[in-house]
Amino acid sequence: MTIWEYRKPALNLKQVHQLPGKYFGLKTEELKLLPGDRSQNFLVIDESNKKYVLKVSSAFDRTEELDFENQVMILLKRYLPQYEFPQPLSTIEGRLVAECQINGQNYYLRLLEYVEGYYLSDLKSIPEKLWRETGTLLGKIDLVLQDFFHPGSRRFLPWDVQNLLVSRDRLKYVSEPELRRQLDYCLLQFETLVLPNLSILRRQVIYGDGNEHNFILEKRGPETRLKGLIDFGDMTESYLVAEPAVALTYALMKSDQPELTARQLLASYSRINSLRNEELDVLFYLILARLVISLTMAAWRREVEPGNKYMRISENPARRLLTCLLSQNPEKWRRLFYRACGFQPDSLFLQKEKLLAFRKTHFSPALSLTYRRPLHIVKGAGQYLFDSQGRTYLDCVNNVCHIGHCHPRVVRAVTRQMAALNTNTRYLYDQMALYVEKLLSKFPRRLNFCFLVNSGSEANDLALRLARNYTGGTEILVIEGAYHGNLTSLIEVSPYKFNGPGGKGAPPFVHQLPTPDPYRGIYRGRSEKTSEKYAALAAEIIDRLLSENKKLVGILAETAMGCAGQVFLPPEFLKKVYALVRKAGGLCIADEVQVGFGRLGHHFWGFESQSALPDIVTLGKPIGNGHPIGAVITTEEIARAFATGMEYFNTFGGNPVSCAAGLAVLEAIEEEKLQENAKEVGNHFLQELRKLQKNQPLIGEVRGSGLFIGVELVQDRQTKIPASKEAALVIEKMKTQGILVSTDGPARNVLKIKPPLVFTRENADLFVEKLAEVLKALK
Ligand code: PMP
């Protein structure tokens, strides 16, 4: 146990019973154990029915620290006589701290006056007036303590937010991966946004524990007022702003109107003791810091002291608050804090209009923006995105930040590696072997060779080269509506592009199969029969090519289609087509760029859901959680055949930083069971959407697997005329409701849902609730 992992005494009532008499000349009539964190506290009642608190501290606490606490209580009573603070009483020998020995162990004893009243925590609902009074009292205390110094005030307390980084060590005690991720996210924010600015923050002695169990109330007539404060065991020299940060943390846990409470508490604090801009800038992150400390301490205590319930008293509310705050824009809170303190918040970001003008001047209009009024996103956390104005959006679109925006594991892996080394594949480095070994372990044994590239497009381009080289063929099969990437070679094989606006049609070597869309394709229904019919069309094309003496490269196909409108191929369609392609000497390329890495829930890869075994698999988007990586996985034979004498060199492909990102993604998917989450939340999501479909004629079909879902909007369920205009309106309206979703499909009438895999049931419920409102308002 290290020095800061303090030890609380564990004496029993019998051992303590004679102590008040022996050291303080008090006759103990009644003795009761009180809750306490560091010291063991006892309620002592003497013969005249007067109450006292006996505080027993272990010898781990220095006497200077106990004297420090005593001196502050005395000082506060002197300067703030309108409030009560427990006053230390003298021993028989006239000292404020007694030293005693029990069973060979040293203990320090203090006797404090008991402050009568009841606790703020006793109230079921706390009126705003009382939150204001707590803010005022803490402001006054900090003003009194502004120039106070005591040698005992410099002490290490794990609860002190300035010691947050110590909590990083305790993350290992947090057994739930989701919570661990949230806590690590907060640590990361602290490290990047608070730590570099600590030196400009004011320091002084603070009370440091403004929680509802420490504020004492009294009734005066009809009015309840704040009477005083107890428990000075968390006092220390720290950052002044930690005072309101701690108080706000507890207030937010308790309040059912958190924004109002925060505003009132902070306003009353700053009216007495005004805070500075730089302090308000970090306040939100210090609240998160305090939650991290509470929750990691609780996890640690569970491990070392399974029976100590007191320590875990605020665990559940803390968890709830953490989840709630992480789903809110920190900028909203910063602005709220500024206004509460009477300041006008400055803007931290460039103006949206400026950004728009810049784009117009220097970027091609070919780069489109989403939404009539584009979003200016400045930050992300898990499944949430935050804009420059303080608004929060639930991200239901981004399958690139697969395991959540700014996932701490990836951010840490990338920064650590960037600080150590970034180079290229002409050198040996561990990260590549570690990563590729893990990546290949996710594939059938036959697929055991890997090329690392920088994007899904690059992966598909290389896949085409590999297949052309191996087969010596020229002709390629693709599926109508498919998209495979932005390179010249891929526009040629992407019907989504060459058949779309600005497209020039299919090149002669590209052969399109009709989209095997079970909802609106030329053959319908989700049965193997449907697959057979579509496969027969593929067979026809292949036969024709062979009869024309043309050589097949193979088929390039998504394993569940994204841009085509979240189309799920009928059962074993790919298996059947792959067999035909192979028979004709072609290779089968599975584009997993959209749906790989567990998104489909039931399967890690889309080709598994089709019972198909490809020769080449291409990976992108989710692979690096936003870091640009791509990969091509293939067989030894195909990879070896590519060594024709021409070197394959890719400057960035497979660099150690990318490998670190990729490895972190795979580890997080496993550790946080994100594939399972995709399955469970996805099933729930689909079920709720289907319920909505029952009384919403505009919804033609709800289809999906895991967290890859499509909601197809039609004007009429019989004719299936696409409701394209309505779909465009829906995504605009959903945006104003704080939900980001996009449309796709040839008629852009399919709502495309593919959120980060940390998406929750509550997120799904919110989506369905808002969609119901939006659809209702469309009528
Ligand atoms: N394949 C598929 C199926 C895709 O959806 C995309 C991108 N939307 C790509 C390939 C190309 O990926 P990138 O834009 O990352 O190069």
Side-chain angles (χ1 to χ4, degrees), residues 306-319:
N308 186 337
K309 289 209 183 72
Y310 177 70
M311 283 294 304
R312 306 204 311 256
I313 215 159
S314 53
E315 197 177 354
N316 287 334
R319 229 199 127 170

Side-chain angles (χ1 to χ4, degrees), residues 470-534:
Y470 185 81
T471 58
T474 49
E475 310 305 303
I476 184 132
L477 300 187
V478 295
I479 299 179
E480 272 175 18
Y483 176 66
H484 297 291
N486 57 47
L487 301 180
T488 308
S489 61
L490 301 170
I491 299 298
E492 286 179 350
V493 293
S494 296
Y496 181 76
K497 289 288 179 192
F498 66 61
N499 287 337
K504 297 210 165 71
F509 63 89
V510 175
H511 310 279
Q512 301 171 65
L513 300 173
T515 317
D517 178 349
Y519 178 66
R520 63 162 67 245
I522 50 172
Y523 306 123
R524 297 179 184 176
R526 249 169 248 287
S527 72
E528 274 204 46
K529 279 246 158 24
T530 318
S531 299
E532 275 159 21
K533 288 184 198 159
Y534 282 110

